[in-house]
């Protein structure tokens, strides 16, 4: 068993990462290491916020760890909501409100192309490593499905005709931005580790 500290408060992300990694790994989240405070994401980029969260945990709690920041980047909106994805419709961070605003802002646009981008910051043996995973796709014209979280009811990954919320975790966790970023994370940990992961 290998234990990895994942600097997140988002239970959906932790659950996805556990499923992506499979049974050989134990994931410890912020709650599990006793970090109950909110780490404010004040940086203007996904990279900056991912580093900020991982550095906070390393400095305050002493753990090697990884964190991730994910943004939905929509072509017709010049890459928005991007770093503001969680708070697109306001500080309430309400997924319903976020989706409503996104659909409204896309009305009449000639393209609905979008991508999810996950940036991982890995702090390991005094190194800071940034990795990313991208999932290209498009935004549906209305919500479909009940699975997943966040924007999953309106995100259709490239090569499919249904949203992540319809496709479910079995498909999502094979092809998603997060799955792609975690594949890179594993490769990087393996390359830097003497243990066999
Ligand atoms: P952390 O504790 O890891 O920071 P968070 O929820 O604040 O958790 P982010 O800052 O990365 O995470 O916020 C990204 C938002 O983007 C998140 O609240 C969701 O609304 C959305 N999101 C992230 N990953 C997603 C996914 O795989 N599918 C749909 N929406 C996603």
């Amino acid at each position: 068993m290998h234990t990895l500290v994942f600097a997140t408060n988002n239970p959906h992300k932790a659950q996805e990462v556990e499923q992506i990694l499979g049974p050989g790994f134990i994931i410890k989240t912020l709650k599990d290491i006793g970090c109950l405070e909110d780490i404010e994401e004040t940086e203007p980029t996904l990279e900056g916020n991912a580093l900020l969260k991982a550095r906070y945990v390393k400095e305050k709690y002493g753990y090697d760890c990884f964190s991730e920041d994910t943004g939905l980047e929509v072509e017709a909106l010049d890459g928005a909501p991007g770093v503001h994805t969680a708070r697109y419709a306001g500080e309430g961070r309400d997924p319903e409100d976020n989706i409503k605003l996104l659909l409204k802002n896309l009305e009449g646009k000639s393209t609905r192309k979008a991508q999810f981008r996950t940036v991982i910051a890995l702090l390991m043996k005094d190194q800071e490593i940034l990795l990313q995973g991208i999932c290209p796709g498009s935004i549906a014209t209305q919500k479909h499905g009940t699975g997943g979280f966040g924007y999953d009811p309106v995100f259709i990954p490239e090569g499919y005709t249904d949203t992540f919320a319809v496709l479910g975790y079995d498909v999502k966790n094979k092809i998603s931005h997060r799955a792609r970023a975690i594949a890179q994370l594993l490769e990087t940990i393996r390359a830097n580790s003497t243990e066999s992961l």
Side-chain angles (χ1 to χ4, degrees), residues 67-89:
S67 69
E68 65 107 289
D69 209 33
T70 295
L72 177 64
E73 299 172 333
V74 180
E75 191 173 300
L77 303 177
D78 297 325
V83 75
H84 304 295
T85 295
R87 298 177 166 80
Y88 191 38

Side-chain angles (χ1 to χ4, degrees), residues 8-10 13 41 53 69 93 152 172 177-178:
T8 185
N9 272 319
N10 185 324
K13 287 184 180 179
E41 296 178 27
K53 288 184 267 189
D69 209 33
R93 303 171 60 110
D152 282 343
K172 183 182 179 191
H177 39 297
R178 190 161 292 107

Side-chain angles (χ1 to χ4, degrees), residues 4-194:
L4 299 175
V5 176
F6 180 13
T8 185
N9 272 319
N10 185 324
H12 300 288
K13 287 184 180 179
Q15 192 197 346
E16 283 190 14
V17 168
E18 272 170 2
Q19 195 183 332
I20 291 163
L21 287 171
F25 291 83
I26 295 173
I27 291 293
K28 286 194 172 185
T29 62
L30 290 177
K31 203 170 93 199
D32 298 325
I33 61 164
C35 175
L36 301 178
E37 60 273 24
D38 187 38
I39 308 171
E40 233 189 301
E41 296 178 27
T42 49
E43 292 294 321
T45 60
L46 299 177
E47 287 78 3
N49 282 328
L51 274 172
L52 178 152
K53 288 184 267 189
R55 283 178 184 154
Y56 182 93
V57 168
K58 178 76 186 179
E59 278 160 25
K60 197 147 179 219
Y61 294 86
Y63 292 102
D64 276 356
C65 63
F66 73 96
S67 69
E68 65 107 289
D69 209 33
T70 295
L72 177 64
E73 299 172 333
V74 180
E75 191 173 300
L77 303 177
D78 297 325
V83 75
H84 304 295
T85 295
R87 298 177 166 80
Y88 191 38
E91 285 305 311
R93 303 171 60 110
D94 185 272
E96 293 291 322
D97 292 347
N98 286 339
I99 287 175
K100 260 189 217 150
L101 181 62
L102 177 65
L103 294 181
K104 184 170 160 279
N105 288 346
L106 275 176
E107 275 169 18
K109 300 285 185 194
S110 58
T111 171
R112 302 183 74 89
K113 272 195 199 165
Q115 65 178 24
F116 267 120
R117 189 163 71 92
T118 293
V119 173
I120 287 184
L122 170 65
L123 265 54
M124 187 186 181
K125 299 180 184 166
D126 296 323
Q127 289 184 81
E128 294 188 337
I129 300 166
L130 284 172
L131 307 160
Q132 75 168 3
I134 289 176
C135 182
S138 62
I139 304 299
T141 50
Q142 54 181 337
K143 286 170 61 180
H144 290 286
T146 53
F149 70 101
Y151 295 79
D152 282 343
V154 291
F155 186 82
I156 303 172
E158 200 172 272
Y160 292 80
T161 50
D162 281 322
T163 64
F164 268 150
V166 173
L167 294 168
Y169 281 128
D170 278 353
V171 175
K172 183 182 179 191
N173 287 341
K174 285 196 183 80
I175 62 165
S176 77
H177 39 297
R178 190 161 292 107
R180 288 171 186 173
I182 290 292
Q184 298 223 7
L185 174 75
L186 265 189
E187 214 174 284
T188 308
I189 294 176
R190 282 195 180 115
N192 283 279
S193 176
T194 45

